[in-house]
Amino acid sequence: MAGNYFKFKQFTVNQEHAVFRITTDSVLLGAWAAVEEASHILDIGTGTGILALMAAQRSDARIVAIEPDRNSFMQAGLNFAASPWHERITLFNTSLQDYRPGGNMLFDAIITNPPYFVDSLLNPSEEKARTRHTVSMSHTDLLEAVTRLLTPAGRLHLVLPVNEAAKLTELASGYGLHCCKRMIVKPAPAKPPARVLMAIRRGSPLNCEESVMVIEKGGRHLYSDEYVSLTKDFYLKF
């Protein structure tokens, strides 16, 4: 990884103009989300475009990516144009609240690495505050949009810190949306969980399929077999 770009096996993501750089959260979500059989995918808050690009590599779907921040929108556009899948990805400079797909299109997979700091001190950077805090897209905004944009059998895939994941799961039930799959992510065996990857769908509450992944099994850069297996199609180091 260089400072201004991140090279994957099948594409490169430049990030010098994006508000936030690529994180392990996004790579894990992009590799984990069930998108292989999807025909239409929506990436909410695409940022650098990493989730849309990973979805394009893993599927034959038509992908819509939306991004309200102008600089991140421009960065994602450049990354999409340079990718092998540029003809399948459409990018809009708009907020989720304002997005209305043409022809009343619905999506069978929605992916997002959403804002997650709900009741915390705002980042002094206005751009970063909008991206990481729920000041521009609340979890209510997200769930209301999902009920409008998701097919009856579709799934929302997202990543959140542990406490925020529990809050969103409870909130989602009020919209008839329920967790059907969840992966708890621990940085190391002795450390507490840091993130939760979730798949949420419509319908009655079901038992949520749960798994646990440890990223580093025995020291810095000593990665677990599960982490390598999940991300090996993307990271050059595996």
Side-chain angles (χ1 to χ4, degrees), residues 10-219:
Q10 295 191 37
F11 59 92
T12 297
V13 176
N14 286 286
Q15 51 187 1
E16 64 268 28
H17 301 303
V19 175
F20 275 92
R21 295 172 181 267
I22 292 170
T23 65
T24 301
D25 290 1
S26 288
V27 176
L28 282 174
L29 179 62
W32 179 83
V35 299
E36 294 90 342
E37 303 301 321
S39 58
H40 294 89
I41 298 172
L42 175 64
D43 176 14
I44 299 172
T46 196
T48 61
I50 177 63
L51 289 177
L53 289 166
M54 293 181 75
Q57 180 178 323
R58 297 181 57 219
S59 74
D60 295 321
R62 306 294 299 185
I63 300 167
V64 173
I66 60 174
E67 174 54 57
D69 177 74
R70 184 66 182 175
N71 288 336
S72 296
F73 163 79
M74 294 174 64
Q75 184 75 85
L78 294 172
N79 289 331
F80 294 157
S83 79
W85 313 287
H86 58 90
E87 293 182 353
R88 289 198 282 121
I89 305 175
T90 303
L91 176 64
F92 294 102
N93 184 200
T94 186
S95 68
L96 176 62
Q97 295 92 328
D98 292 336
Y99 175 60
R100 295 294 186 276
N104 296 317
M105 180 189 298
L106 297 178
F107 299 90
D108 24 38
I110 297 176
I111 51 177
T112 184
N113 184 355
Y116 50 71
F117 292 123
V118 179
D119 297 313
S120 59
L121 186 65
L122 291 181
N123 192 298
S125 163
E126 182 179 351
E127 288 181 324
K128 291 186 177 181
R130 285 198 304 267
T131 304
R132 276 291 169 257
H133 298 257
T134 57
V135 294
S136 61
M137 184 184 77
S138 70
H139 292 168
T140 297
D141 291 333
L142 173 61
L143 295 170
E144 288 178 349
V146 167
T147 61
R148 173 169 56 87
L149 297 170
L150 195 66
T151 63
R155 294 186 179 188
L156 164 68
H157 304 86
L158 71 163
V159 55
L160 286 169
V162 176
N163 290 340
E164 282 70 19
K167 293 175 184 177
L168 185 133
T169 300
E170 182 178 355
L171 185 63
S173 65
Y175 291 85
L177 299 168
H178 304 281
C179 178
C180 58
K181 189 176 180 181
R182 174 170 54 226
M183 184 170 75
I184 298 169
V185 181
K186 300 177 66 175
K191 292 187 177 180
R195 295 288 186 269
V196 179
L197 306 182
M198 293 189 294
I200 292 174
R201 63 177 300 172
R202 302 179 192 271
S204 302
L206 302 171
N207 290 331
C208 187
E209 177 187 340
E210 186 168 300
S211 61
V212 178
M213 171 179 285
V214 175
I215 295 178
E216 293 177 331
K217 61 182 178 181

Side-chain angles (χ1 to χ4, degrees), residues 8-9 11 30-31 54 57-58 230-236:
F8 294 92
K9 286 183 177 177
F11 59 92
M54 293 181 75
Q57 180 178 323
R58 297 181 57 219
L230 183 63
T231 60
K232 62 182 174 59
D233 289 340
F234 300 97
Y235 281 138
L236 293 173

Side-chain angles (χ1 to χ4, degrees), residues 216-233:
E216 293 177 331
K217 61 182 178 181
R220 185 69 172 157
H221 301 313
L222 295 175
Y223 298 103
S224 71
D225 293 342
E226 293 80 9
Y227 180 74
V228 172
S229 178
L230 183 63
T231 60
K232 62 182 174 59
D233 289 340

